[in-house]
């Protein structure tokens, strides 16, 4: 038994509703930090590699609008 916290993101532009678990947010943060490190130490050869797609919690994944509302919800497990 336990609880899982999720972030519910509702887009005001297109009405899409997305859910992000706590794990997603942590992974997203880690990827962003890795990208920053890559930029700082880039030797030129790694710039040809495509950046991994990261989840941007500050905008709608459907239409890219930043007109979103975030709500934290809890699930009983
Ligand atoms: Zn949208």
């Amino acid at each position: 038994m336990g609880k899982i916290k999720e972030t519910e993101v509702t887009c005001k532009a297109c009405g899409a509703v997305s859910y992000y678990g706590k794990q997603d947010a942590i992974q997203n943060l880690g990827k962003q930090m890795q990208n920053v490190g890559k930029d700082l130490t880039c030797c030129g050869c790694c710039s040809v590699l495509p950046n991994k797609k990261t989840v941007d919690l500050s905008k709608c994944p459907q239409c890219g609008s930043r007109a979103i509302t975030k709500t934290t919800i809890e699930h009983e497990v």
Side-chain angles (χ1 to χ4, degrees):
M1 294 292 281
K3 284 181 181 178
I4 293 179
K5 276 189 181 178
E6 274 189 332
T7 302
E8 182 187 83
V9 177
T10 305
C11 177
K12 293 178 188 173
C14 71
V17 180
S18 307
Y19 295 94
Y20 299 104
K22 199 176 181 182
Q23 206 67 28
D24 288 338
I26 293 171
Q27 284 178 354
N28 187 40
L29 189 66
K31 281 178 188 170
Q32 285 179 345
M33 286 169 68
Q34 279 179 358
N35 285 341
V36 170
K38 205 186 286 179
D39 288 342
L40 288 173
T41 59
C42 185
C43 58
C45 62
C46 53
S47 62
V48 295
L49 294 171
N51 284 330
K52 282 182 183 173
K53 196 176 181 185
T54 55
V55 179
D56 191 344
L57 297 179
S58 62
K59 67 181 182 182
C60 173
Q62 298 296 322
C63 69
S65 171
R66 290 186 180 274
I68 56 165
T69 53
K70 280 192 245 180
T71 312
T72 302
I73 54 174
E74 289 187 355
H75 291 291
E76 296 280 350
V77 178

